[in-house]
Amino acid sequence: MLERFVSLAVAGSGGAGVVTTGNLLLDAAARVGWYAYMTRSAGPQIRGGEAAAMIRLGSAPADAHDDHYDLLVAADWESAGRFAAELPLGATSIVLGDPRAGERPPFLVDAPARMLDLPMTALADEIPGGRANMVALGAIAELIGLPDEPLLAAIRHAIGAKGEAAVEASVASLRAGRSAVPDIPDFPRLEPRPAAPGMRWNISGNEATGLGALRGGVRFVAAYPITPATEVLEWMAHGLPRVGGALVQAEDELASINQIVGASYGGVPSLTATSGPGLALMTESLGLAVAAEVPVVVVNVMRGGPSTGIPTKSEQADLNIACYGLHGDAPHLVLAPHSVADCLMTTQWAVHLAESLQTAAIVLTDQATGQARAVIERPAELAFIGQRVVPESVAGYERYALTVNGVSPMAIPGMAGGEYTADGLEHSPSGTPSSQAADHQAQLDKRLRKIAGYNYGEHWAEIDGDADPDVALLTWGSCTGPCREAMARLRAQGWRVRLVAPRLIAPALPGPMAEALAGAPRLLVVEQSHGAQFLRYLRAHYDLPGEVRSLHQPGPLPVRPGTIVARVTNWS
Amino acid sequence: MEHLQAMRGLAPKDFKSDTKPVWCPGCGHFSVLAAITKALAELSLPREQVAVVSGIGCSSRIPAYTSVYGFHGVHGRALPTATGLKLARPDMTVLVTGGDGDGFSIGGNHFLHACRRNVDMTYIVMDNQVYGMTKGQASPTTDAEWDGSKLTPDGPCIEPFPPLKIALAAGANFIARGSSSDPNDLARLIVDGVRHPGFSVIQVLSPCVTFRPEQKEWKKKVRTACVDYTDDPARAARRLMTDDGFNFGKVLFKGTRPAFVPECSDVPCAIPELESGFAV
């Protein structure tokens, strides 16, 4: 069956209910068996600034936006204009604007799209308690083929607690929007599909990250708010106490990282979440976790950098600091989920690995994934639960014993006879501080050995596509979705394509990577960073086969599938 | 019960490790270490139920010199490390040791918030008004005129940080000052601090005989405080305003704030219960 998708965007000022509209659409889409992917973009204002919800609905899962939007609904032109670069329109695109909004802005005057009127505010004014965003929602539903029933269920679910009057006003607004929308015969519509209740999840990347952490066994979180990571912490603040864990708001990121080091030393799997500036503050103590061999997980939801950068928008430019930011020789883990759904699996795996290997794990997601919301298949249960090796006997116990695999049994406070001092100072196997060359060598060797020698299995990368490819796309994180879509389009044109997206960034795994890329005469490395950080990381750690080309661009604009296709078909 | 009996048998020396301290002969910290081990024996705590947490500096070396669980972390972060440990493991008795630079300069923000947060642990700050490990620079408690460092040849030129006034203002629940010249008395203060719920701060005058040799005179200057503790912050504040820094040996303030305990369900639910919120 041919999969169908429709892309739409809603833009307006803060308070116009743009994100609410998107959330209702997603909920309703899930109820008719569709999949959905929604990112949001916002201006810098705390309240009342402009906001845009970019949504893709489809009969199959989508982890990327299309090259252009089929529909843009603008509550007002000024707000929409601020997202001009983020809302590409094509010749078949429809723009619905409120006639009360006045003159169209320059970017729409020049756009190839069709402009149509939708009197959102006027219609809403005629309904007691009516809302313009619900009028817009009705118009969208009519255009894309979304029936009333799931929308009403979604509305009831969202605002039922506000009382019947509020629900009725919304429903009336919705119907007004349905009746007012012009007929557009060639507009892409989706067909409702059967969906069993509970088989679709509506979840954001940041929520999936929090859930993955809980599933992995995390029971202590120290939190310092930072955009766009705060929702990970807020979700866990609600969820963690309910499963018997605790979350504490710390005074700064230095405190959060050291609190989780302390809690984990106490035997409780621990995590914090932050973004670039916070990660920079935490790097000293990530080194402590490596040296003292205390498992911790730090989720870094990347945003535009350096410095304060663009806090509300996405970029993949913290790869270098995650891999190389620690002082000294400090082998540790860096992981990256490649979709909203994969935030769950990768974070859970990161907890499992950190606990098993007694080291620091950094999980790199980004604003585009973390703050994206998706309707996905109900995720499978995974068997990754953090399991720390503890001493079987305390006779002659040495905390940093030189073991074959480099992992030394870790006594947990409360264990009689296991008393030791965990130390960021270099130490002998017993933990006693040592500045001797032999101890330094032996401890460096063991800390590297446990990470380099571990069998990471098949989860190290997402590998898809053809066995004997014309071209391989090598990417990571939120660029995986656009690459997957580019691969589908190229294959439809007759290309043989392979997609490789490592979930495990560090340590590098040269063997499995060579196998994954085998036979590819051309390799395109795709990433969202100005400095081609991923390409440089790959060059440092892997022998890349064939002709290697780089497609790298900074945030906040996503890498579009069409850009990737064009780079492959115009190889030079 | 047999276990308890065995525990009671632990002597101060049983809380010492075999590791030889890096400190200079005559350093006040030897006495503080002795006071800590004496206090632990007095408290009859099993070794495995005690953790000593520290940052970086001469006095922060103490965890390795004890036989209990220890954590020697990074500079300035002993309090957050200890906070995480205590919140994750409320059954542990947590002591934090460190110096004036570690606690009041690089770790100053954590000191404020540890006082505010009032987690049940005891902070023993060995104050010698100098960075010893880096060979003698001015610390936050150094006098403005002290010109003994090449880094600040004219003196730090800023007024010293008043640890106990700050502790009181920030909400510490137990405030005391001890002196390394009287380890028995210091041991009593530590026992009292550990037993008092919430965050206990004990400033210890502990001379650095190498970089501040004039501090050898402290033992002549210190005097036992003449009044007992108050639970009234206003009275404690007035006393601190007229304090010359050499009154020791008595608890100054004991507050009545309950210790901070994070919210946590007694009857944990299963994770699928949380997941149901995502299902449509």
Side-chain angles (χ1 to χ4, degrees):
Chain A
M1 193 185 77
L2 191 64
E3 303 295 358
R4 291 180 65 94
F5 296 93
V6 58
S7 290
L8 56 105
V10 188
S13 59
V18 161
V19 176
T20 307
T21 309
N23 284 338
L24 287 170
L25 259 179
L26 257 63
D27 188 356
R31 292 171 195 267
V32 287
W34 298 346
Y35 297 87
Y37 171 72
M38 173 173 81
T39 56
R40 59 188 222 224
S41 193
Q45 296 85 349
I46 306 304
R47 284 199 95 90
E50 66 279 3
M54 285 83 101
I55 303 160
R56 198 164 191 209
L57 304 172
S59 56
D63 296 321
H65 284 303
D66 204 344
D67 296 335
H68 67 268
Y69 289 90
D70 301 306
L71 175 66
L72 165 62
V73 181
D76 71 275
W77 297 127
E78 195 187 339
S79 298
R82 289 181 186 267
F83 298 106
E86 293 168 59
L87 300 172
L89 299 169
T92 58
S93 303
I94 305 293
V95 178
L96 288 180
D98 197 317
R100 281 190 188 169
E103 291 290 305
R104 274 181 280 141
F107 95 98
L108 286 176
V109 172
D110 301 333
R114 284 169 67 191
M115 306 291 155
L116 296 170
D117 282 345
L118 180 70
M120 290 170 254
T121 47
L123 289 169
D125 285 349
E126 288 169 19
I127 300 159
R131 302 254 318 159
N133 67 321
M134 302 306 271
V135 175
L137 181 59
I140 294 168
E142 186 66 18
L143 283 172
I144 65 175
L146 182 63
D148 254 349
E149 192 187 327
L151 260 182
L152 298 190
I155 287 170
R156 218 165 266 291
H157 181 71
I159 64 164
K162 289 184 185 171
E164 200 52 35
V167 173
E168 275 170 22
S170 291
V171 172
S173 306
L174 205 70
R175 297 213 163 116
R178 270 197 195 277
S179 326
V181 73
D183 185 36
I184 306 165
D186 52 352
F187 193 83
R189 291 169 67 85
L190 302 175
E191 296 297 326
R193 295 153 62 99
M199 291 315 287
R200 290 276 193 281
W201 276 21
N202 179 347
I203 193 167
S204 76
N206 280 343
E207 290 168 346
T209 298
L211 178 57
L214 285 193
R215 279 188 175 185
V218 165
R219 290 297 179 271
F220 183 82
V221 170
Y224 190 77
I226 185 167
T227 304
T230 309
E231 297 90 354
V232 176
L233 303 164
E234 287 176 337
W235 188 82
M236 295 193 87
H238 153 81
L240 204 49
R242 294 181 58 197
V243 297
L247 177 140
V248 179
Q249 182 170 337
E251 56 270 28
D252 55 29
E253 286 96 343
L254 304 165
S256 16
I257 182 72
N258 286 286
Q259 280 194 15
I260 66 168
V261 168
S264 178
Y265 165 77
V268 177
S270 300
L271 170 145
T272 188
T274 188
S275 189
L279 181 66
L281 287 175
M282 291 178 186
T283 51
E284 183 195 18
S285 292
L286 281 165
L288 169 66
V290 170
E293 301 197 50
V294 179
V296 291
V297 178
V298 175
V299 175
N300 182 55
V301 186
M302 295 180 286
R303 64 192 213 183
S307 190
T308 311
I310 311 179
T312 53
K313 297 182 181 179
S314 206
E315 195 164 68
Q316 290 184 305
D318 292 346
L319 183 72
N320 280 351
I321 187 178
C323 293
Y324 300 123
L326 282 59
H327 59 281
D329 283 313
H332 61 284
L333 303 164
V334 179
L335 297 97
H338 56 74
S339 68
V340 169
D342 195 48
C343 287
L344 201 168
M345 186 271 171
T346 298
T347 309
Q348 185 174 352
W349 193 39
V351 177
H352 170 78
L353 291 178
E355 290 288 318
S356 301
L357 298 173
Q358 298 176 18
T359 193
I362 299 172
V363 178
L364 290 177
T365 72
D366 56 22
Q367 186 273 338
T369 310
Q371 292 192 327
R373 179 163 282 287
V375 174
I376 58 172
E377 285 298 350
R378 179 199 175 128
E381 293 281 344
L382 296 168
F384 294 130
I385 306 289
Q387 274 180 344
R388 222 177 271 190
V389 179
V390 296
E392 283 171 16
S393 147
V394 291
Y397 176 65
E398 290 192 317
R399 166 65 186 102
Y400 301 107
L402 303 173
T403 57
V404 173
N405 66 5
V407 177
S408 319
M410 181 173 182
I412 305 300
M415 194 178 283
E419 296 87 357
Y420 74 100
T421 292
D423 212 319
L425 273 176
E426 192 56 282
H427 37 257
S428 69
S430 69
T432 306
S434 168
S435 54
Q436 299 296 311
D439 282 326
H440 189 41
Q441 179 81 47
Q443 293 296 319
L444 284 170
D445 285 347
K446 95 181 263 295
R447 294 194 292 257
L448 177 62
R449 185 162 71 236
K450 66 181 181 178
I451 288 180
Y454 186 79
N455 179 7
Y456 295 92
E458 61 184 17
H459 297 294
W460 77 277
E462 185 76 0
I463 301 169
D464 204 354
D466 297 304
D468 185 21
D470 305 313
V471 64
L473 303 176
L474 180 49
T475 190
W476 73 289
S478 62
C479 282
T480 309
C483 279
R484 189 181 289 283
E485 177 137 353
M487 175 170 73
R489 293 189 199 174
L490 286 163
R491 291 173 85 186
Q493 292 177 27
W495 288 74
R496 296 177 62 79
V497 186
R498 187 174 313 150
L499 172 71
V500 180
R503 195 179 269 117
L504 185 71
I505 305 286
L509 302 178
M513 180 67 92
E515 204 177 306
L517 297 176
R522 289 178 171 182
L523 178 63
L524 182 64
V525 177
V526 182
E527 62 183 301
Q528 194 187 27
S529 86
H530 187 259
Q533 295 185 12
F534 186 51
L535 175 76
R536 290 170 201 284
Y537 179 80
L538 294 168
R539 286 239 186 259
H541 297 277
Y542 295 104
D543 291 325
L544 300 177
E547 291 177 26
V548 179
R549 298 290 182 269
S550 168
L551 170 52
H552 60 276
Q553 64 178 53
L557 300 184
V559 178
R560 305 244 174 226
T563 312
I564 301 166
V565 169
R567 189 67 190 81
V568 169
T569 53
N570 301 303
W571 196 264
S572 59
Chain B
M1 280 313 287
E2 206 175 287
H3 183 55
L4 282 173
Q5 290 300 334
M7 244 162 52
R8 291 209 178 92
L10 287 182
K13 66 175 169 46
D14 298 319
F15 287 98
K16 282 206 169 86
S17 78
D18 298 334
T19 306
K20 189 174 170 290
V22 294
W23 301 323
C24 311
C27 177
H29 303 345
F30 285 104
S31 297
V32 182
L33 174 60
I36 289 171
T37 55
K38 191 174 162 58
L40 292 175
E42 170 69 25
L43 286 160
S44 298
L45 291 163
R47 278 189 291 234
E48 68 273 16
Q49 284 303 124
V50 181
V52 182
V53 179
S54 70
I56 295 295
C58 298
S59 50
S60 294
R61 290 287 187 130
I62 280 188
Y65 307 148
T66 69
S67 63
V68 298
Y69 279 93
F71 197 104
H72 184 209
V74 298
H75 195 26
R77 316 297 164 214
L79 287 171
T81 311
T83 298
L85 173 60
K86 179 67 186 180
L87 295 180
R89 289 292 307 278
D91 58 308
M92 295 293 294
T93 296
V94 177
L95 273 61
V96 189
T97 59
D100 37 298
D102 186 75
F104 305 140
S105 195
I106 187 169
N109 192 36
H110 307 309
F111 178 59
L112 295 180
H113 292 278
C115 293
R116 262 185 80 210
R117 194 176 281 117
N118 201 32
V119 170
D120 188 14
M121 54 193 191
T122 304
Y123 186 27
I124 301 159
V125 193
M126 284 147 263
D127 189 351
N128 54 16
Q129 304 174 355
V130 75
Y131 285 90
M133 191 156 267
T134 49
K135 314 282 186 272
Q137 295 78 28
S139 89
T141 52
T142 303
D143 286 337
E145 302 79 32
W146 182 71
D147 58 3
S149 164
K150 281 189 254 179
L151 192 59
T152 50
D154 301 320
C157 298
I158 51 174
E159 288 306 309
F161 179 98
L164 300 189
K165 283 184 208 166
I166 302 270
L168 182 69
N173 214 32
F174 175 104
I175 296 170
R177 184 185 290 128
S179 166
S180 64
S181 59
D182 193 342
N184 288 335
D185 177 77
L186 179 57
R188 266 199 310 277
L189 290 178
I190 295 171
V191 168
D192 205 357
V194 169
R195 286 183 176 148
H196 193 72
F199 187 62
S200 303
V201 179
I202 304 172
Q203 180 196 19
V204 185
L205 302 172
S206 180
C208 175
V209 295
T210 301
F211 298 107
R212 302 295 306 266
E214 68 277 18
Q215 290 175 348
K216 288 178 192 161
E217 300 302 308
W218 276 2
K219 59 176 174 286
K220 294 179 195 156
K221 292 171 86 174
V222 292
R223 68 189 90 80
T224 304
C226 53
V227 260
D228 274 326
Y229 76 86
T230 173
D231 60 0
D232 175 7
R235 289 185 64 190
R238 274 197 299 278
R239 243 180 247 170
L240 281 172
M241 295 309 277
T242 57
D243 169 56
D244 68 352
F246 290 102
N247 294 301
F248 81 102
K250 290 245 171 73
V251 177
L252 174 83
F253 174 74
K254 280 189 188 182
T256 53
R257 282 204 300 147
F260 175 85
V261 178
E263 187 205 341
C264 175
S265 169
D266 293 336
V267 193
C269 74
I271 291 175
E273 223 175 289
L274 293 181
E275 295 175 348
S276 62
F278 298 122
V280 182

